[in-house]
Amino acid sequence: MKYFLDSAKLDEIQYAYKTFGIDGVTTNPRHIMLSGKPFMIAITDIANWIKEEGLEGIDRFPVSVEINPHLDDADEMIEMAKKVAALSPNFAIKIPCTEAGVTAARKLEQMGIRTNVTLVFSPAQAIFAAKNGSLFVSPFIGWKEANGEDCKEYIKNIVEIYKNYGFYGKTEIICAAIRTPKQIVDCAVAGADIVTTGLAVYQDAMKHAYTHQGLETFINAWDNTITE
Ligand code: E4P
């Protein structure tokens, strides 16, 4: 199970890499906006940091970057994707699961530009991403569960379909919009390859009341022991 950070803030990415050993990053237009930087600067800063860290290579530390969501023509999507992909060998281009998006993603994969089909809300949509040979598919969890839909079955179905047809492990399943540690576990049990979420969820996932209580017990024992 790989952990990706869902953020475009460089300081958060650096912290999560150092602390939690995250395996990659996902961004979207909302995260770019929250970084407070212009789009090109935000993604160039991430590309430069990847180089400085010696993490170059999409297999080593993939970063998903979403193209302009206004675009609804496959050729225009491809043009922008080419410009973004040229900035770093680590960038996978995030494209919405629409007719134009899937058309563009298929062509980009044929050109050797890796893609992440995003805004996926059904197993039928996830099949399109796999048939395209996209590197990633991003089924959204939090948005569906906020709507009262159960996501365990949803992810299990995608995993089973991918296994049935030889897509599993080729198009990696990134469970996105994860809001809680329980959702991380549900996705892992269902067989997802990756979860992506913000720093706060990983920090919550690290905590357990018994860990804290146990530490207190051991500190107390240490303080009442001759340790020299
Ligand atoms: C995933 O790739 C998306 O960037 C993300 O999870 C979208 O959802 P959110 O912004 O509501 O968390």
Side-chain angles (χ1 to χ4, degrees), residues 139-187:
F140 279 39
I141 305 300
W143 297 16
K144 273 171 90 77
E145 293 212 335
N147 195 38
E149 297 177 48
D150 175 33
C151 280
K152 285 195 288 292
E153 278 306 302
Y154 165 48
I155 298 304
K156 267 189 201 158
N157 287 342
I158 297 175
V159 168
E160 195 176 328
I161 292 166
Y162 275 27
K163 283 185 176 165
N164 285 347
Y165 296 98
F167 300 136
Y168 196 61
K170 291 184 185 150
T171 296
E172 291 190 87
I173 303 163
I174 306 182
C175 290
I178 295 284
R179 305 284 185 245
T180 64
K182 181 181 180 300
Q183 288 173 336
I184 295 179
V185 175
D186 287 347
C187 293

Side-chain angles (χ1 to χ4, degrees), residues 9-31:
K9 292 181 181 165
L10 189 57
D11 57 343
E12 281 190 0
I13 295 169
Q14 290 166 327
Y15 181 81
Y17 179 68
K18 194 177 58 180
T19 309
F20 300 112
I22 51 153
D23 306 286
V25 167
T26 51
T27 68
N28 63 31
R30 195 177 66 80
H31 288 307

Side-chain angles (χ1 to χ4, degrees), residues 197-216:
T197 188
L199 198 52
V201 176
Y202 289 126
Q203 286 170 325
D204 273 355
M206 184 64 80
K207 286 181 204 147
H208 195 288
Y210 287 175
T211 305
H212 181 73
Q213 193 181 312
L215 200 51
E216 290 291 306

